[in-house]
């Protein structure tokens, strides 16, 4: 009986293994030696696909960007609805892979999926009537907002020990120990509140542009 062949080493396999490792243990866990062990291959074989650890992390970051839905910029939704729906999809992708956010926060660089994302947002805003300079600013502020929201949980930043927040020291945090148990609900509500406020402000600016 023929011995089963090992799956061929590919860029996708390496990126998938690295993404799993980053999700589970963080950026520091990734090394060519560790990835080679995870993939049951020799370390030098990875260099046929990636020369450095940084290149691998860039590819992992781009694979996460590729998970963001961009269809709202192509199906006729108005600019505000499209930005809202895109921001929700963007945050969902980052929330599923929070450990890679610091790499994504550096910007798209040469990453194809990241550049397609930036191109889609900028193009949709210009097509909607925003001047190019303001369209650039909108893309930037949306990235700041979404990546910032994915860097950590506000509610999860409080411990569930009611003795940790002495009213004598923190008179307004008497219920703070209850936040952690409702972490997802609170964080989602905070994101939606901030997103609506941001879009409301942009809408006012847009009305001013149209009135000029």
């Amino acid at each position: 009986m023929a011995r089963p062949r090992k799956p061929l080493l590919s860029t996708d396999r390496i990126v998938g293994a690295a993404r799993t490792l980053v999700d589970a243990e963080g950026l520091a866990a990734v090394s060519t030696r560790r990835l080679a062990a995870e993939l049951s291959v020799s370390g030098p074989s990875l260099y046929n696909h990636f020369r450095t650890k940084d290149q691998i992390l860039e590819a992992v970051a781009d694979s996460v960007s590729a998970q963001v839905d961009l269809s709202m910029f192509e199906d006729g939704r108005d600019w505000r609805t499209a930005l809202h729906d895109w921001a929700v999809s963007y945050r969902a992708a980052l929330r599923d892979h929070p450990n890679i956010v610091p790499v994504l926060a550096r910007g798209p660089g040469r990453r194809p999926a990241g550049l397609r994302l930036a191109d889609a947002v900028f193009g949709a805003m210009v097509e909607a009537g925003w001047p190019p300079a303001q369209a650039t600013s909108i893309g930037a502020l949306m990235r700041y907002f979404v990546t910032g929201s994915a860097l950590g949980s506000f509610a999860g930043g409080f411990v569930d020990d009611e003795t940790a927040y002495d009213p004598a020291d923190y008179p307004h945090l008497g219920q703070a120990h209850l936040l952690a148990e409702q972490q997802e609900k609170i964080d989602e509500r905070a994101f939606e509140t901030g997103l609506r406020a941001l879009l409301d402000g942009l809408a006012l600016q847009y009305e001013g542009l149209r009135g000029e």
Side-chain angles (χ1 to χ4, degrees):
M1 181 180 294
R3 296 176 61 186
R5 296 177 59 188
K6 291 182 180 179
L8 292 175
L9 188 62
S10 66
T11 297
D12 287 344
R13 278 194 71 211
I14 296 169
V15 171
R19 186 173 56 240
T20 298
L21 198 54
V22 170
D23 288 345
E25 301 181 33
L27 298 173
V30 177
S31 69
T32 53
R33 178 179 295 181
R34 178 73 183 276
L35 280 174
E38 294 287 334
L39 293 163
S40 300
V41 299
S42 64
S45 64
L46 297 179
Y47 294 116
N48 293 323
H49 301 271
F50 296 101
R51 293 192 301 273
T52 66
K53 170 183 172 177
D54 284 345
Q55 286 186 345
I56 295 172
L57 293 178
E58 287 287 311
V60 171
D62 210 39
S63 74
V64 173
S65 292
Q67 297 175 14
V68 181
D69 183 13
L70 299 177
S71 65
M72 64 285 296
F73 298 119
E74 303 169 352
D75 61 11
R77 274 173 263 191
D78 65 272
W79 69 266
R80 176 178 173 143
T81 302
L83 272 185
H84 175 277
D85 295 348
W86 168 72
V88 171
S89 176
Y90 191 10
R91 180 172 179 263
L94 302 193
R95 186 184 56 208
D96 289 343
H97 307 281
N99 291 336
I100 199 64
V101 172
V103 179
L104 282 163
R106 296 200 293 257
R110 298 176 181 271
R111 300 192 297 266
L115 289 170
R116 284 193 294 272
L117 188 154
D119 182 72
V121 175
F122 178 79
M125 294 306 101
V126 171
E127 187 174 336
W130 287 96
Q134 287 178 277
T136 298
S137 296
I138 290 171
L141 73 89
M142 294 298 289
R143 185 165 68 84
Y144 297 154
F145 177 70
V146 176
T147 56
S149 74
L151 281 173
S153 165
F154 171 80
F158 295 88
V159 299
D160 61 2
D161 178 4
E162 62 181 325
T163 66
Y165 308 108
D166 189 331
D169 297 320
Y170 315 107
H172 306 295
L173 296 181
Q175 302 297 307
H177 64 285
L178 301 176
L179 295 178
E181 66 183 31
Q182 301 184 58
Q183 176 177 325
E184 184 174 351
K185 178 181 178 181
I186 292 170
D187 290 346
E188 287 290 337
R189 188 171 63 215
F191 177 76
E192 280 292 340
T193 298
L195 183 57
R196 284 197 304 272
L198 187 157
L199 294 174
D200 285 346
L202 287 176
L204 289 175
Q205 291 185 39
Y206 188 73
E207 289 173 10
L209 287 173
R210 307 303 284 181
E212 291 178 355

mmCIF file of all heavy atoms in Angstrom, residues 62-95:
data_model
loop_
_atom_site.group_PDB
_atom_site.id
_atom_site.type_symbol
_atom_site.label_atom_id
_atom_site.label_comp_id
_atom_site.label_asym_id
_atom_site.label_seq_id
_atom_site.Cartn_x
_atom_site.Cartn_y
_atom_site.Cartn_z
ATOM 1 N N ASP A 62 -2.944 40.484 6.053
ATOM 2 C CA ASP A 62 -3.692 40.652 4.816
ATOM 3 C C ASP A 62 -4.793 39.610 4.689
ATOM 4 O O ASP A 62 -5.855 39.887 4.125
ATOM 5 C CB ASP A 62 -2.749 40.575 3.616
ATOM 6 C CG ASP A 62 -3.234 41.422 2.458
ATOM 7 O OD1 ASP A 62 -3.742 42.533 2.710
ATOM 8 O OD2 ASP A 62 -3.113 40.991 1.293
ATOM 9 N N SER A 63 -4.558 38.420 5.215
ATOM 10 C CA SER A 63 -5.604 37.395 5.160
ATOM 11 C C SER A 63 -6.807 37.790 6.004
ATOM 12 O O SER A 63 -7.944 37.426 5.690
ATOM 13 C CB SER A 63 -5.048 36.042 5.628
ATOM 14 O OG SER A 63 -4.867 36.002 7.046
ATOM 15 N N VAL A 64 -6.575 38.560 7.060
ATOM 16 C CA VAL A 64 -7.684 39.059 7.876
ATOM 17 C C VAL A 64 -8.405 40.190 7.144
ATOM 18 O O VAL A 64 -9.638 40.257 7.129
ATOM 19 C CB VAL A 64 -7.178 39.516 9.253
ATOM 20 C CG1 VAL A 64 -8.295 40.192 10.045
ATOM 21 C CG2 VAL A 64 -6.635 38.325 10.035
ATOM 22 N N SER A 65 -7.649 41.083 6.509
ATOM 23 C CA SER A 65 -8.273 42.143 5.713
ATOM 24 C C SER A 65 -9.157 41.555 4.621
ATOM 25 O O SER A 65 -10.200 42.122 4.280
ATOM 26 C CB SER A 65 -7.198 43.030 5.071
ATOM 27 O OG SER A 65 -6.491 43.775 6.031
ATOM 28 N N ALA A 66 -8.746 40.427 4.076
ATOM 29 C CA ALA A 66 -9.512 39.786 3.005
ATOM 30 C C ALA A 66 -10.870 39.275 3.493
ATOM 31 O O ALA A 66 -11.760 38.993 2.669
ATOM 32 C CB ALA A 66 -8.716 38.641 2.402
ATOM 33 N N GLN A 67 -11.053 39.154 4.798
ATOM 34 C CA GLN A 67 -12.326 38.697 5.348
ATOM 35 C C GLN A 67 -13.361 39.816 5.451
ATOM 36 O O GLN A 67 -14.533 39.555 5.727
ATOM 37 C CB GLN A 67 -12.102 38.095 6.738
ATOM 38 C CG GLN A 67 -11.208 36.864 6.748
ATOM 39 C CD GLN A 67 -10.907 36.375 8.151
ATOM 40 O OE1 GLN A 67 -11.542 36.762 9.110
ATOM 41 N NE2 GLN A 67 -9.901 35.520 8.269
ATOM 42 N N VAL A 68 -12.930 41.053 5.228
ATOM 43 C CA VAL A 68 -13.845 42.191 5.357
ATOM 44 C C VAL A 68 -14.707 42.307 4.105
ATOM 45 O O VAL A 68 -14.201 42.316 2.980
ATOM 46 C CB VAL A 68 -13.060 43.495 5.579
ATOM 47 C CG1 VAL A 68 -14.022 44.671 5.742
ATOM 48 C CG2 VAL A 68 -12.161 43.383 6.808
ATOM 49 N N ASP A 69 -16.004 42.407 4.294
ATOM 50 C CA ASP A 69 -16.951 42.531 3.190
ATOM 51 C C ASP A 69 -16.829 43.918 2.555
ATOM 52 O O ASP A 69 -16.818 44.927 3.261
ATOM 53 C CB ASP A 69 -18.367 42.323 3.733
ATOM 54 C CG ASP A 69 -19.433 42.354 2.646
ATOM 55 O OD1 ASP A 69 -19.086 42.282 1.447
ATOM 56 O OD2 ASP A 69 -20.630 42.462 2.998
ATOM 57 N N LEU A 70 -16.734 43.975 1.234
ATOM 58 C CA LEU A 70 -16.671 45.249 0.511
ATOM 59 C C LEU A 70 -17.847 45.417 -0.448
ATOM 60 O O LEU A 70 -17.893 46.398 -1.193
ATOM 61 C CB LEU A 70 -15.358 45.339 -0.275
ATOM 62 C CG LEU A 70 -14.053 45.290 0.534
ATOM 63 C CD1 LEU A 70 -12.847 45.308 -0.408
ATOM 64 C CD2 LEU A 70 -13.985 46.450 1.523
ATOM 65 N N SER A 71 -18.788 44.488 -0.418
ATOM 66 C CA SER A 71 -19.885 44.520 -1.386
ATOM 67 C C SER A 71 -20.757 45.759 -1.243
ATOM 68 O O SER A 71 -21.389 46.196 -2.213
ATOM 69 C CB SER A 71 -20.745 43.261 -1.242
ATOM 70 O OG SER A 71 -21.392 43.229 0.033
ATOM 71 N N MET A 72 -20.799 46.349 -0.050
ATOM 72 C CA MET A 72 -21.651 47.515 0.165
ATOM 73 C C MET A 72 -21.217 48.734 -0.635
ATOM 74 O O MET A 72 -21.979 49.687 -0.804
ATOM 75 C CB MET A 72 -21.697 47.862 1.660
ATOM 76 C CG MET A 72 -20.373 48.282 2.278
ATOM 77 S SD MET A 72 -19.232 46.911 2.557
ATOM 78 C CE MET A 72 -20.111 45.934 3.755
ATOM 79 N N PHE A 73 -19.992 48.718 -1.130
ATOM 80 C CA PHE A 73 -19.519 49.829 -1.948
ATOM 81 C C PHE A 73 -19.822 49.619 -3.434
ATOM 82 O O PHE A 73 -19.491 50.461 -4.258
ATOM 83 C CB PHE A 73 -18.013 50.028 -1.761
ATOM 84 C CG PHE A 73 -17.634 50.385 -0.358
ATOM 85 C CD1 PHE A 73 -16.803 49.562 0.383
ATOM 86 C CD2 PHE A 73 -18.123 51.536 0.248
ATOM 87 C CE1 PHE A 73 -16.449 49.888 1.690
ATOM 88 C CE2 PHE A 73 -17.783 51.863 1.553
ATOM 89 C CZ PHE A 73 -16.939 51.037 2.272
ATOM 90 N N GLU A 74 -20.441 48.487 -3.747
ATOM 91 C CA GLU A 74 -20.692 48.143 -5.152
ATOM 92 C C GLU A 74 -22.166 47.895 -5.456
ATOM 93 O O GLU A 74 -22.532 47.766 -6.634
ATOM 94 C CB GLU A 74 -19.888 46.888 -5.520
ATOM 95 C CG GLU A 74 -18.389 47.027 -5.299
ATOM 96 C CD GLU A 74 -17.671 45.696 -5.414
ATOM 97 O OE1 GLU A 74 -18.367 44.655 -5.519
ATOM 98 O OE2 GLU A 74 -16.430 45.692 -5.395
ATOM 99 N N ASP A 75 -23.005 47.805 -4.430
ATOM 100 C CA ASP A 75 -24.398 47.401 -4.677
ATOM 101 C C ASP A 75 -25.413 48.532 -4.555
ATOM 102 O O ASP A 75 -26.618 48.292 -4.434
ATOM 103 C CB ASP A 75 -24.785 46.254 -3.741
ATOM 104 C CG ASP A 75 -24.705 46.627 -2.261
ATOM 105 O OD1 ASP A 75 -24.553 47.823 -1.949
ATOM 106 O OD2 ASP A 75 -24.791 45.707 -1.421
ATOM 107 N N GLY A 76 -24.943 49.769 -4.575
ATOM 108 C CA GLY A 76 -25.879 50.892 -4.613
ATOM 109 C C GLY A 76 -26.260 51.487 -3.283
ATOM 110 O O GLY A 76 -27.077 52.423 -3.235
ATOM 111 N N ARG A 77 -25.711 50.983 -2.185
ATOM 112 C CA ARG A 77 -26.020 51.585 -0.892
ATOM 113 C C ARG A 77 -25.465 53.012 -0.831
ATOM 114 O O ARG A 77 -24.413 53.293 -1.400
ATOM 115 C CB ARG A 77 -25.422 50.743 0.242
ATOM 116 C CG ARG A 77 -26.326 49.605 0.695
ATOM 117 C CD ARG A 77 -25.645 48.694 1.697
ATOM 118 N NE ARG A 77 -25.093 47.504 1.047
ATOM 119 C CZ ARG A 77 -24.640 46.443 1.699
ATOM 120 N NH1 ARG A 77 -24.658 46.425 3.012
ATOM 121 N NH2 ARG A 77 -24.156 45.406 1.031
ATOM 122 N N ASP A 78 -26.187 53.913 -0.156
ATOM 123 C CA ASP A 78 -25.690 55.277 -0.017
ATOM 124 C C ASP A 78 -24.418 55.261 0.831
ATOM 125 O O ASP A 78 -24.143 54.294 1.557
ATOM 126 C CB ASP A 78 -26.750 56.183 0.623
ATOM 127 C CG ASP A 78 -27.076 55.776 2.045
ATOM 128 O OD1 ASP A 78 -27.966 54.920 2.245
ATOM 129 O OD2 ASP A 78 -26.417 56.292 2.973
ATOM 130 N N TRP A 79 -23.636 56.346 0.750
ATOM 131 C CA TRP A 79 -22.308 56.351 1.361
ATOM 132 C C TRP A 79 -22.356 56.113 2.860
ATOM 133 O O TRP A 79 -21.509 55.412 3.408
ATOM 134 C CB TRP A 79 -21.581 57.663 1.057
ATOM 135 C CG TRP A 79 -22.148 58.882 1.739
ATOM 136 C CD1 TRP A 79 -23.056 59.755 1.233
ATOM 137 C CD2 TRP A 79 -21.838 59.354 3.053
ATOM 138 N NE1 TRP A 79 -23.355 60.743 2.150
ATOM 139 C CE2 TRP A 79 -22.604 60.525 3.281
ATOM 140 C CE3 TRP A 79 -20.987 58.910 4.056
ATOM 141 C CZ2 TRP A 79 -22.548 61.244 4.469
ATOM 142 C CZ3 TRP A 79 -20.939 59.631 5.258
ATOM 143 C CH2 TRP A 79 -21.707 60.785 5.460
ATOM 144 N N ARG A 80 -23.378 56.682 3.542
ATOM 145 C CA ARG A 80 -23.446 56.522 4.994
ATOM 146 C C ARG A 80 -23.753 55.072 5.370
ATOM 147 O O ARG A 80 -23.115 54.509 6.260
ATOM 148 C CB ARG A 80 -24.494 57.461 5.588
ATOM 149 C CG ARG A 80 -24.656 57.251 7.082
ATOM 150 C CD ARG A 80 -25.656 58.186 7.702
ATOM 151 N NE ARG A 80 -25.860 57.804 9.096
ATOM 152 C CZ ARG A 80 -26.054 58.638 10.097
ATOM 153 N NH1 ARG A 80 -26.069 59.949 9.866
ATOM 154 N NH2 ARG A 80 -26.230 58.215 11.317
ATOM 155 N N THR A 81 -24.736 54.482 4.711
ATOM 156 C CA THR A 81 -25.076 53.084 4.988
ATOM 157 C C THR A 81 -23.903 52.176 4.664
ATOM 158 O O THR A 81 -23.601 51.235 5.414
ATOM 159 C CB THR A 81 -26.308 52.662 4.170
ATOM 160 O OG1 THR A 81 -27.409 53.523 4.486
ATOM 161 C CG2 THR A 81 -26.692 51.216 4.458
ATOM 162 N N ALA A 82 -23.229 52.452 3.554
ATOM 163 C CA ALA A 82 -22.088 51.632 3.154
ATOM 164 C C ALA A 82 -20.967 51.710 4.192
ATOM 165 O O ALA A 82 -20.387 50.687 4.574
ATOM 166 C CB ALA A 82 -21.576 52.086 1.792
ATOM 167 N N LEU A 83 -20.667 52.921 4.671
ATOM 168 C CA LEU A 83 -19.633 53.063 5.690
ATOM 169 C C LEU A 83 -19.995 52.320 6.965
ATOM 170 O O LEU A 83 -19.158 51.676 7.592
ATOM 171 C CB LEU A 83 -19.398 54.543 6.018
ATOM 172 C CG LEU A 83 -18.381 55.318 5.192
ATOM 173 C CD1 LEU A 83 -18.224 56.722 5.762
ATOM 174 C CD2 LEU A 83 -17.036 54.619 5.135
ATOM 175 N N HIS A 84 -21.263 52.421 7.365
ATOM 176 C CA HIS A 84 -21.709 51.725 8.569
ATOM 177 C C HIS A 84 -21.538 50.220 8.426
ATOM 178 O O HIS A 84 -20.953 49.551 9.286
ATOM 179 C CB HIS A 84 -23.169 52.061 8.867
ATOM 180 C CG HIS A 84 -23.735 51.287 10.018
ATOM 181 N ND1 HIS A 84 -24.233 50.001 9.876
ATOM 182 C CD2 HIS A 84 -23.856 51.597 11.337
ATOM 183 C CE1 HIS A 84 -24.641 49.558 11.047
ATOM 184 N NE2 HIS A 84 -24.430 50.502 11.953
ATOM 185 N N ASP A 85 -22.048 49.684 7.318
ATOM 186 C CA ASP A 85 -22.021 48.235 7.128
ATOM 187 C C ASP A 85 -20.592 47.725 6.980
ATOM 188 O O ASP A 85 -20.245 46.640 7.468
ATOM 189 C CB ASP A 85 -22.858 47.849 5.910
ATOM 190 C CG ASP A 85 -24.332 48.170 6.101
ATOM 191 O OD1 ASP A 85 -24.744 48.467 7.248
ATOM 192 O OD2 ASP A 85 -25.077 48.138 5.103
ATOM 193 N N TRP A 86 -19.760 48.510 6.310
ATOM 194 C CA TRP A 86 -18.349 48.132 6.172
ATOM 195 C C TRP A 86 -17.645 48.135 7.526
ATOM 196 O O TRP A 86 -16.889 47.221 7.844
ATOM 197 C CB TRP A 86 -17.648 49.095 5.209
ATOM 198 C CG TRP A 86 -16.164 48.966 5.234
ATOM 199 C CD1 TRP A 86 -15.417 47.932 4.738
ATOM 200 C CD2 TRP A 86 -15.238 49.893 5.809
ATOM 201 N NE1 TRP A 86 -14.072 48.171 4.962
ATOM 202 C CE2 TRP A 86 -13.938 49.370 5.616
ATOM 203 C CE3 TRP A 86 -15.368 51.114 6.454
ATOM 204 C CZ2 TRP A 86 -12.792 50.025 6.050
ATOM 205 C CZ3 TRP A 86 -14.230 51.778 6.889
ATOM 206 C CH2 TRP A 86 -12.962 51.233 6.691
ATOM 207 N N ALA A 87 -17.897 49.174 8.338
ATOM 208 C CA ALA A 87 -17.258 49.254 9.655
ATOM 209 C C ALA A 87 -17.647 48.068 10.531
ATOM 210 O O ALA A 87 -16.814 47.525 11.265
ATOM 211 C CB ALA A 87 -17.642 50.563 10.350
ATOM 212 N N VAL A 88 -18.896 47.641 10.449
ATOM 213 C CA VAL A 88 -19.354 46.486 11.221
ATOM 214 C C VAL A 88 -18.622 45.219 10.772
ATOM 215 O O VAL A 88 -18.161 44.413 11.587
ATOM 216 C CB VAL A 88 -20.879 46.313 11.087
ATOM 217 C CG1 VAL A 88 -21.336 44.988 11.694
ATOM 218 C CG2 VAL A 88 -21.605 47.473 11.773
ATOM 219 N N SER A 89 -18.491 45.039 9.451
ATOM 220 C CA SER A 89 -17.791 43.868 8.928
ATOM 221 C C SER A 89 -16.308 43.926 9.275
ATOM 222 O O SER A 89 -15.701 42.908 9.649
ATOM 223 C CB SER A 89 -17.956 43.796 7.409
ATOM 224 O OG SER A 89 -17.221 42.717 6.868
ATOM 225 N N TYR A 90 -15.724 45.099 9.176
ATOM 226 C CA TYR A 90 -14.312 45.298 9.486
ATOM 227 C C TYR A 90 -14.037 44.949 10.947
ATOM 228 O O TYR A 90 -13.103 44.209 11.265
ATOM 229 C CB TYR A 90 -13.977 46.757 9.191
ATOM 230 C CG TYR A 90 -12.520 47.146 9.195
ATOM 231 C CD1 TYR A 90 -11.494 46.216 9.257
ATOM 232 C CD2 TYR A 90 -12.169 48.494 9.097
ATOM 233 C CE1 TYR A 90 -10.164 46.605 9.245
ATOM 234 C CE2 TYR A 90 -10.846 48.897 9.081
ATOM 235 C CZ TYR A 90 -9.846 47.955 9.158
ATOM 236 O OH TYR A 90 -8.539 48.348 9.145
ATOM 237 N N ARG A 91 -14.880 45.465 11.832
ATOM 238 C CA ARG A 91 -14.675 45.186 13.257
ATOM 239 C C ARG A 91 -14.855 43.700 13.560
ATOM 240 O O ARG A 91 -14.134 43.134 14.391
ATOM 241 C CB ARG A 91 -15.640 46.008 14.101
ATOM 242 C CG ARG A 91 -15.474 45.758 15.606
ATOM 243 C CD ARG A 91 -16.300 46.727 16.425
ATOM 244 N NE ARG A 91 -16.143 46.464 17.846
ATOM 245 C CZ ARG A 91 -16.976 45.739 18.572
ATOM 246 N NH1 ARG A 91 -18.033 45.169 18.001
ATOM 247 N NH2 ARG A 91 -16.768 45.557 19.856
ATOM 248 N N ALA A 92 -15.807 43.067 12.899
ATOM 249 C CA ALA A 92 -16.037 41.636 13.144
ATOM 250 C C ALA A 92 -14.791 40.829 12.779
ATOM 251 O O ALA A 92 -14.411 39.893 13.500
ATOM 252 C CB ALA A 92 -17.238 41.158 12.333
ATOM 253 N N ALA A 93 -14.146 41.182 11.670
ATOM 254 C CA ALA A 93 -12.934 40.469 11.267
ATOM 255 C C ALA A 93 -11.821 40.674 12.286
ATOM 256 O O ALA A 93 -11.122 39.729 12.664
ATOM 257 C CB ALA A 93 -12.486 40.941 9.883
ATOM 258 N N LEU A 94 -11.668 41.902 12.760
ATOM 259 C CA LEU A 94 -10.616 42.186 13.734
ATOM 260 C C LEU A 94 -10.935 41.572 15.097
ATOM 261 O O LEU A 94 -10.031 41.121 15.801
ATOM 262 C CB LEU A 94 -10.418 43.697 13.890
ATOM 263 C CG LEU A 94 -10.054 44.484 12.635
ATOM 264 C CD1 LEU A 94 -9.589 45.891 13.012
ATOM 265 C CD2 LEU A 94 -8.988 43.790 11.824
ATOM 266 N N ARG A 95 -12.197 41.548 15.447
ATOM 267 C CA ARG A 95 -12.591 40.959 16.729
ATOM 268 C C ARG A 95 -12.290 39.466 16.753
ATOM 269 O O ARG A 95 -11.953 38.908 17.800
ATOM 270 C CB ARG A 95 -14.087 41.196 16.950
ATOM 271 C CG ARG A 95 -14.613 40.769 18.329
ATOM 272 C CD ARG A 95 -16.120 40.972 18.374
ATOM 273 N NE ARG A 95 -16.778 40.263 17.294
ATOM 274 C CZ ARG A 95 -17.932 40.645 16.744
ATOM 275 N NH1 ARG A 95 -18.540 41.739 17.171
ATOM 276 N NH2 ARG A 95 -18.475 39.946 15.765
#
